[in-house]
Amino acid sequence: MFIRRHYEGVTEQMASSVARELAYAISVVETEAGEEAAARLALLSRPLGIAFRLEPGGGVAPDATRRFFDVTGGVVAETFRREIRRPMALDLVSSDRLVEARIQTDVGVLVAEVDRRRMIATNPHQLLVVMGIAAMALVTVAVLFLRNQVRPIRELAAAADAFGKGWSLRFTPRGAEEVRRAGAAFLAMRARIERQIESRTLMLSGVSHDLRTPLTRMKLALEMMEPSPERDELAEDVRAMERMIDEFLAFARGEAGEAAEETDPAEVAGEAVDAARRGGAVVALRLEGAPAATPMRRGAVRRALQNLLSNAAAHGRTVELTLSEGRAWVDYVVEDDGPGIPPDLRETALKPFARLDGARNQDKGAGVGLGLAIAADVARAHGGALTLESGERLGGLRVRLRLPR
């Protein structure tokens, strides 16, 4: 709309100038007589750049012939009618270079052929080109500016996501002041959390040593005792205490010290199943397809599967581990034929040290209720999830450990 109004204004000014020249030619025709009028028109044609001829005794039917899309042609016709105020006919179609005006005068019809360029701007596209180039330049500057501002935000998000999964990506705050301040705050927070984890790990190492020392003395004392039912019961209690300490330390320590690496998911599943079978469990392994290598903490995932298989074997006679994959994930599904867990208690079962009522209790046997909690922690550390479902094949509990690729 702005460009249209601009060129209509320019056309009106140019057409008004030509109209005044035509009005002067009309006054010359009407004041001179006969051949003198024709001679004066011939003299005017050169300086004005307009071709004149006079048709004595003719008449003109007011009209303006132009193409429907010729907006400036309508402006020319309106300007001529306003400035000249005589019956006239305009032809803007017959020639692409000229505009023919037939004007009624007192002595006949004055025919004027005017160069179109004198009345109509012939290069309106130049402004459009300039505006287009300016717009492209502004868009380019804006895109570069926004990219430089968005890139550090994406880097910060990637570093925060990786830290949530137990990895530490190199990150340097840059960009706008607000982004730099947020990045510096994240680095300070990460450093504090890493120091806390390191302090906790050192403390747990000391606790482990302090707890295992008296247990070792108790085991030596038991070895020196005479065989008896009381000695066997006490030895079993000591072994149960060792298993409890191992589970407590595994849950509290986590797997922060292990780096993720490209691993064959089928190999990890096979190792976990072999370990469960050595413990006396009846476990079947099903592989659906040939899963490709996936980045994971091999030891953590293997221990999580061992916990799930051990928990399933403690509550069922038959256990099955199924490995499947999708485009963006790998699924380890452990299913048993035990009593299962009611849907309203499944969220509670994933909490550490939670006790369930009924036939399936996490504290059944020698466990302390940390198997599912440890597996869920491993899944979250990989950016995945652990879900409890009702088994369809064996009818018991089905635990799905999903890891992203």
Side-chain angles (χ1 to χ4, degrees):
M1 181 62 69
F2 167 77
I3 296 175
R4 176 178 175 179
R5 289 180 177 178
H6 171 74
Y7 281 103
E8 286 179 353
V10 172
T11 300
E12 183 178 358
Q13 294 178 6
M14 298 171 67
S16 178
S17 176
V18 174
R20 286 192 290 269
E21 295 174 357
L22 294 178
Y24 176 71
I26 293 172
S27 65
V28 169
V29 168
E30 293 181 341
T31 56
E32 299 291 342
E35 295 180 357
E36 293 182 359
R40 289 290 302 275
L41 287 176
L43 292 175
L44 289 175
S45 295
R46 182 178 296 275
L48 296 181
I50 302 174
F52 293 108
R53 72 175 184 274
L54 182 62
E55 298 178 355
V60 174
D63 189 18
T65 305
R66 63 185 179 89
R67 296 180 177 90
F68 73 94
F69 56 83
D70 187 2
V71 178
T72 54
V75 176
V76 171
E78 180 64 28
T79 303
F80 276 19
R81 283 193 291 267
R82 185 179 64 251
E83 295 288 342
I84 298 176
R85 297 182 181 179
R86 290 172 180 266
M88 72 178 68
L90 293 179
D91 183 3
L92 295 95
V93 177
S94 299
S95 175
D96 293 333
R97 297 176 54 251
L98 299 175
V99 176
E100 183 184 78
R102 300 177 63 85
I103 307 170
Q104 183 70 56
T105 68
D106 295 341
V107 296
V109 177
L110 176 63
V111 180
E113 293 181 348
V114 187
D115 191 339
R116 183 183 289 266
R117 293 174 297 180
R118 289 194 58 190
M119 295 180 293
I120 300 175
T122 57
N123 295 316
H125 63 281
Q126 291 181 350
L127 179 60
L128 296 177
V129 171
V130 172
M131 292 181 63
I133 294 175
M136 291 178 61
L138 291 175
V139 169
T140 301
V141 172
V143 168
L144 293 176
F145 175 78
L146 290 177
R147 180 178 295 176
N148 290 334
Q149 297 304 315
V150 171
R151 185 183 296 116
I153 297 177
R154 290 179 176 174
E155 293 175 353
L156 174 60
D161 182 65
F163 185 63
K165 297 177 182 178
W167 309 333
S168 182
L169 292 182
R170 183 176 181 180
F171 171 70
T172 303
R174 57 192 181 88
E177 179 182 358
E178 292 79 5
V179 179
R180 294 198 303 270
R181 292 176 61 183
F186 165 74
L187 291 178
M189 178 196 69
R190 186 172 71 176
R192 290 194 296 268
I193 294 176
E194 289 176 343
R195 286 196 299 269
Q196 182 182 7
I197 293 175
E198 184 179 0
S199 298
R200 187 183 68 173
T201 302
L202 292 175
M203 180 192 69
L204 291 174
S205 299
V207 170
S208 173
H209 180 269
D210 292 343
L211 289 176
R212 292 182 188 280
T213 299
L215 285 177
T216 301
R217 290 199 298 265
M218 293 173 64
K219 290 172 66 176
L220 290 175
L222 289 172
E223 292 295 332
M224 299 177 63
M225 293 176 59
E226 295 292 333
S228 65
E230 292 79 7
R231 174 188 174 281
D232 295 338
E233 292 178 359
L234 184 58
E236 181 60 31
D237 290 340
V238 171
R239 286 192 292 270
M241 291 177 64
E242 285 185 319
R243 287 192 294 269
M244 291 179 186
I245 292 174
D246 291 337
E247 289 193 35
F248 282 133
L249 294 178
F251 177 73
R253 182 170 57 247
E255 307 294 340
E258 184 180 5
E261 58 183 7
E262 292 290 331
T263 305
D264 184 357
E267 290 184 2
V268 178
E271 293 172 359
V273 169
D274 291 341
R277 288 171 178 170
R278 287 194 296 270
V282 179
V283 182
L285 176 61
R286 297 176 61 244
L287 301 178
E288 296 182 356
T294 302
M296 66 174 69
R297 295 170 181 164
R298 186 188 188 105
V301 175
R302 183 179 63 249
R303 282 186 285 274
L305 292 177
Q306 289 175 355
N307 284 336
L308 296 179
L309 293 173
S310 175
N311 186 69
H315 300 89
R317 293 175 299 177
T318 303
V319 180
E320 186 177 82
L321 173 60
T322 304
L323 174 61
S324 60
E325 68 168 346
R327 273 199 318 179
W329 46 262
V330 172
D331 270 354
Y332 291 100
V333 179
V334 177
E335 186 174 349
D336 61 59
D337 59 353
I341 297 177
D344 58 331
L345 296 178
R346 289 172 184 170
E347 184 176 354
T348 302
L350 294 176
K351 297 179 181 180
F353 310 113
R355 297 179 179 275
L356 302 180
D357 295 327
R360 189 177 185 113
N361 193 307
Q362 288 185 352
D363 291 334
K364 182 179 178 179
V368 293
L370 289 175
L372 292 177
I374 292 174
D377 187 60
V378 171
R380 286 192 294 267
H382 284 78
L386 185 79
T387 56
L388 306 183
E389 307 167 357
S390 296
E392 297 178 356
R393 291 175 55 84
L394 301 181
L397 179 68
R398 180 168 61 188
V399 183
R400 184 183 303 274
L401 175 63
R402 172 164 290 186
L403 304 178
R405 289 192 178 280

